[in-house]
């Protein structure tokens, strides 16, 4: 088992030391293949809306960015994307949007989840990534058929979290939401940004230990990329962009060693920094990719960071799983073994 000091040592190794990285990534791939197999699962990503009530200091679609052109997909567009995913053999879709908590929104999501379940004869798995909500809302969406939820902690250090968010965004609230999601029966995913201003390799090592302590089922993390005009964009960053890419790959590999049986996504932000970024993520131990199914007409508006790639990835050379299973986190079945079946949903 790796200690905090060992993690710090690996994360802080000189970037000129590519041999150590090669060995680390190869070991992570071996561990992944033993624990969860060598297939890569696909999730169809549907970016429902870029309207958001929050004001995270790094984000291109923060509420305060009046230059962002706002959109919300129609029900027809969402259902068409989900139907496309189902007909193309994807096991599941991810519905992502900026944070909204009004009753109209909550009801709409509940309805869409039910409709996606119906159109796919119950076969499409549904992951939600819709921010902090009331516990009752999480319960309703789970009741409608969603079974996984992604809510990044963004930075597991409360001090760092506070420097990345306005004062009314609360770290404790986010933790509380992660706890509720687990208690409501979801497979829970979280993650952080890598290479942030004010962030050290010690912080990143602590992020990895945070994931293990929280006993998460899934993780999505990617390099931080400045979005011009956001408050954080001017803050000095300890790591150049190519260093953030390497750091992100090290984080993926080390997390795979720490938690062999979880699902780890190779994220779009990796691709924004390198044309083969997501492929490199898989080669460092990730096992999930999320091709974007958002209709092309609005895709350019879902800009969390600069230079977000709009085209999809090249999956040749990967053992990509396009089976009808949901590609559940193996960790989830292990963690919940013995729990009352009524509280769980897996396939
Ligand atoms: N750089 C990288 N990732 C970002 N996100 C938001 N803004 C940025 C940025 N500038 C990430 C956050 C959020 C996810 C949807 O996108 O981690 O949780
Ligand atoms: Fe909203 Fe998420 Fe961007 Fe924060 S990171 S402003 S919650 S979309």
């Amino acid at each position: 088992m790796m200690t905090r000091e060992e993690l710090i040592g690996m994360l802080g190794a000189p970037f000129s030391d590519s041999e150590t990285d090669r060995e680390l990534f190869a070991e992570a791939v071996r561990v992944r293949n033993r624990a969860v197999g060598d297939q890569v699962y696909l999730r169809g990503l549907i970016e429902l809306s870029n309207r958001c009530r929050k004001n995270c200091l790094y984000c291109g679609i923060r509420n305060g960015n009046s230059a962002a052109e706002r959109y919300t997909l129609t029900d027809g567009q969402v259902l068409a994307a989900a139907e496309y995913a189902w007909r193309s053999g994807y096991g599941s879709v991810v519905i992502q949007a900026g944070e909204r908590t009004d009753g109209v929104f909550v009801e709409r999501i509940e309805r869409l989840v039910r409709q996606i379940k119906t159109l796919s004869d119950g076969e499409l798995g549904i992951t939600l990534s819709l921010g902090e909500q009331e516990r009752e809302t999480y319960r309703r969406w789970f009741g409608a058929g969603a079974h996984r939820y992604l809510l990044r902690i963004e930075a597991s250090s409360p001090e760092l979290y506070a420097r990345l968010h306005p004062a009314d965004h609360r770290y404790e609230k986010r933790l509380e939401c992660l706890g509720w999601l687990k208690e409501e029966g979801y497979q829970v995913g979280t993650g952080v940004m890598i290479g942030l201003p004010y962030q050290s390799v010690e912080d990143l090592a602590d992020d990895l230990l945070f994931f293990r302590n929280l006993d998460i089922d899934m993780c999505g993390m990617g390099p931080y990329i400045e979005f011009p005009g956001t408050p954080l964009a001017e803050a000095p960053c300890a790591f150049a962009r190519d260093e953030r890419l390497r750091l992100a790959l090290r984080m993926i590999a080390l997390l795979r060693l720490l938690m062999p049986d979880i699902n780890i996504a190779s994220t779009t932000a990796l691709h924004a920094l390198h044309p083969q970024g997501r492929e490199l993520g898989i080669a460092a131990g990730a096992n999930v990719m999320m091709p974007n199914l958002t209709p092309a007409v609005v895709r350019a508006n879902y800009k969390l960071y600069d230079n977000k790639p709009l085209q999809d990835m090249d999956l040749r050379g990967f053992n990509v799983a396009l089976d009808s299973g949901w590609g559940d986190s193996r960790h989830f079945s292990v963690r919940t073994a013995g729990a009352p079946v009524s509280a769980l949903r897996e396939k």
Side-chain angles (χ1 to χ4, degrees):
M1 195 49 70
M2 264 175 302
T3 64
R4 178 171 188 267
E5 277 57 45
E6 283 169 321
L7 293 173
I8 293 169
M10 301 293 275
L11 291 166
F15 290 108
S16 56
D17 190 357
S18 42
E19 190 46 40
T20 309
D21 274 354
R22 246 196 305 277
E23 283 169 20
L24 171 65
F25 301 161
E27 177 62 11
V29 165
R30 276 193 293 275
V31 167
R32 177 196 68 201
N33 292 353
R34 256 199 319 269
V36 293
D38 61 357
Q39 68 279 51
V40 174
Y41 289 100
L42 296 184
R43 324 285 188 214
L45 177 64
I46 305 172
E47 293 159 331
L48 176 90
S49 171
N50 66 354
R51 290 175 208 281
C52 186
R53 67 184 185 129
K54 286 270 188 89
N55 251 316
C56 306
L57 302 181
Y58 43 81
C59 180
I61 61 171
R62 63 199 301 272
N63 193 276
N65 180 9
S66 53
E69 201 171 314
R70 304 291 170 172
Y71 76 88
T72 300
L73 298 183
T74 63
D75 285 4
Q77 286 173 312
V78 175
L79 297 174
E83 177 142 15
Y84 172 85
W86 185 52
R87 295 208 181 285
S88 312
Y90 287 61
S92 73
V93 289
V94 181
I95 300 180
Q96 186 167 72
E99 195 172 294
R100 275 183 59 182
T101 54
D102 54 280
V104 173
F105 181 78
V106 171
E107 257 167 50
R108 177 163 189 235
I109 297 296
E110 188 177 16
R111 192 180 65 241
L112 283 169
V113 168
R114 283 192 203 286
Q115 285 173 324
I116 292 172
K117 280 288 163 196
T118 305
L119 74 81
S120 66
D121 296 331
E123 285 187 355
L124 260 189
I126 302 180
T127 303
L128 300 179
S129 177
L130 302 168
E132 295 165 21
Q133 301 287 342
E134 299 292 335
R135 182 172 189 150
E136 182 56 30
T137 301
Y138 289 144
R139 183 173 300 160
R140 276 173 66 178
W141 291 344
F142 188 84
H147 73 127
R148 303 188 187 119
Y149 204 101
L150 306 173
L151 182 67
R152 288 189 178 181
I153 192 73
E154 312 294 3
S156 70
S157 146
E159 295 77 33
L160 180 55
Y161 185 91
R163 298 183 81 166
L164 306 173
H165 299 94
D168 63 339
H169 293 31
R170 284 186 43 251
Y171 179 85
E172 294 73 24
K173 174 73 198 169
R174 242 172 147 71
L175 273 188
E176 184 176 44
C177 285
L178 285 166
W180 286 343
L181 286 163
K182 215 179 208 183
E183 287 165 19
E184 293 300 329
Y186 286 92
Q187 296 178 41
V188 178
T190 190
V192 294
M193 285 172 288
I194 297 160
L196 287 157
Y198 322 119
Q199 190 181 44
S200 64
V201 289
E202 286 78 7
D203 289 325
L204 290 169
D206 288 335
D207 288 338
L208 294 171
L209 297 172
F210 171 90
F211 299 147
R212 198 178 58 189
N213 288 341
L214 206 64
D215 202 20
I216 58 170
D217 303 303
M218 317 178 283
C219 188
M221 42 188 181
Y224 165 68
I225 304 168
E226 298 88 344
F227 189 92
T230 53
L232 205 69
E234 304 309 320
C237 213
F239 303 101
R241 285 189 171 202
D242 57 331
E243 297 177 343
R244 291 180 220 165
L245 176 71
R246 288 279 287 287
L247 262 185
L249 297 174
R250 288 177 184 177
M251 286 287 283
I252 288 175
L254 291 168
L255 182 59
R256 178 59 72 194
L257 300 185
L258 278 180
M259 304 187 77
D261 61 355
I262 65 171
N263 280 343
I264 303 179
S266 192
T267 56
T268 317
L270 288 167
H271 187 191
L273 289 189
H274 189 287
Q276 264 86 49
R278 280 179 295 191
E279 289 80 355
L280 292 172
I282 298 296
N287 69 327
V288 168
M289 291 218 227
M290 295 160 57
N292 198 329
L293 302 184
T294 310
V297 279
V298 297
R299 204 179 278 182
N301 295 330
Y302 203 86
K303 266 203 171 177
L304 299 157
Y305 44 83
D306 209 16
N307 192 29
K308 188 166 174 244
L310 298 178
Q311 76 280 32
D312 260 328
M313 76 274 285
D314 182 359
L315 293 170
R316 279 169 301 182
F318 285 95
N319 181 7
V320 168
L322 265 177
D323 60 8
S324 53
W326 291 353
D328 280 338
S329 158
R330 179 153 311 167
H331 186 75
F332 178 74
S333 13
V334 175
R335 145 170 108 70
T336 52
V341 176
S342 61
L344 308 174
R345 184 177 299 133
E346 61 176 310
K347 185 178 170 187

